[in-house]
Amino acid sequence: STKVASDVAKTAGYRLLTASFDWTTTVDKGSNDPNFDGYFPAYYTEKRNQDCYLSQPMGASVISLATLKSAPIKWTQLSELSAYTLGVVTGYSNGKEFDELVSEKKQPVQAVASDPVNIRNLQTGKTRAIVIDKYVLDYTLARQKGDNRIVVSGPPVASLNLHVCFKRTPAGKALRDAFDAALKNVDVPKVEMEYSMLTRNQWH
């Protein structure tokens, strides 16, 4: 997502500068810190659409259920997961249906600060299963030199578009409009494929 956003910004005549934080801090800084113009990658939610000027989709996220290979979970409907406490990251949206089950107390979850903590809890047996973007899972495991004990169980929890959330200010709107105009001239799937091939070669 950073590579895509950087290429789009360059096409629009800007230079993208980024910093990485846990998600709660990211949202806070991107929304309130005068040193930041926004944050990404963000899923669409009705509240976020009111709080931000959301860009057009700059990619997609396949949210999955990850388990240990030795203890998979077979499911087809989200309601079937209510028997398990699932690891999630604080502040993440995991699709409208899943989020509603959580808010209605029908789906128990264990919320942690970040994806790496979530994965570590799965690896150490503290959590039976975690909800995570498949690309984030692959990326994190590759950085750890792999872990073939972890697999994706069942269908996607949700498939969501990714956006940049620009501050809801006149300057934020101008940046969003410039970003969207430049996005039309960037081949996002090509950028993603080239980046994936480059990083895979570096890790291996």
Side-chain angles (χ1 to χ4, degrees):
S1 292
T2 302
K3 173 60 175 169
V4 170
S6 180
D7 283 9
V8 174
K10 183 177 180 181
T11 301
Y14 293 90
R15 183 165 64 98
L16 177 68
L17 300 176
T18 64
S20 297
F21 309 96
D22 64 78
W23 185 245
T24 301
T25 303
T26 294
V27 173
D28 179 59
K29 285 186 175 293
S31 302
N32 303 306
D33 191 322
N35 293 309
F36 293 88
D37 294 304
Y39 63 90
F40 73 92
Y43 302 138
Y44 176 93
T45 66
E46 292 181 5
K47 182 179 185 307
R48 189 168 287 151
N49 192 43
Q50 295 174 357
D51 294 341
C52 308
Y53 284 116
L54 288 175
S55 73
Q56 289 297 308
M58 53 171 285
S61 171
V62 179
I63 304 173
S64 303
L65 187 75
T67 66
L68 293 178
K69 188 185 297 184
S70 59
I73 295 176
K74 295 182 178 180
W75 66 281
T76 55
Q77 303 293 326
L78 285 178
S79 58
E80 299 172 49
L81 298 175
S82 62
Y84 308 95
T85 297
L86 307 179
V88 298
V89 175
T90 300
Y92 278 16
S93 171
N94 291 301
K96 184 176 181 180
E97 183 179 357
F98 183 89
D99 291 349
E100 286 179 350
L101 290 172
V102 172
S103 66
E104 294 168 0
K105 309 297 184 184
K106 295 179 181 179
Q107 176 59 61
V109 297
Q110 178 183 359
V112 298
S114 67
D115 287 299
V117 173
N118 214 13
I119 292 172
R120 187 158 60 248
N121 283 348
L122 178 61
Q123 291 170 319
T124 58
K126 292 182 180 179
T127 304
R128 173 66 188 278
I130 62 174
V131 180
I132 188 169
D133 175 280
K134 186 178 183 301
Y135 298 122
V136 172
L137 176 65
D138 291 345
Y139 173 84
T140 306
L141 293 180
R143 300 271 317 230
Q144 298 176 357
K145 306 306 180 184
D147 187 339
N148 59 15
R149 297 175 303 157
I150 296 178
V151 296
V152 169
S153 288
V157 172
S159 295
L160 303 173
N161 287 328
L162 298 172
H163 307 262
V164 179
C165 174
F166 292 97
K167 285 180 176 176
R168 201 161 189 85
T169 63
K173 185 177 186 300
L175 285 171
R176 190 280 306 273
D177 292 346
F179 187 92
D180 282 353
L183 183 60
K184 297 176 182 178
N185 298 314
V186 175
D187 187 338
V188 173
K190 182 180 178 182
V191 174
E192 292 176 335
M193 182 178 297
E194 290 177 348
Y195 179 79
S196 178
M197 293 175 63
L198 174 63
T199 52
R200 188 178 299 118
N201 290 336
Q202 289 175 341
W203 291 329
H204 297 290

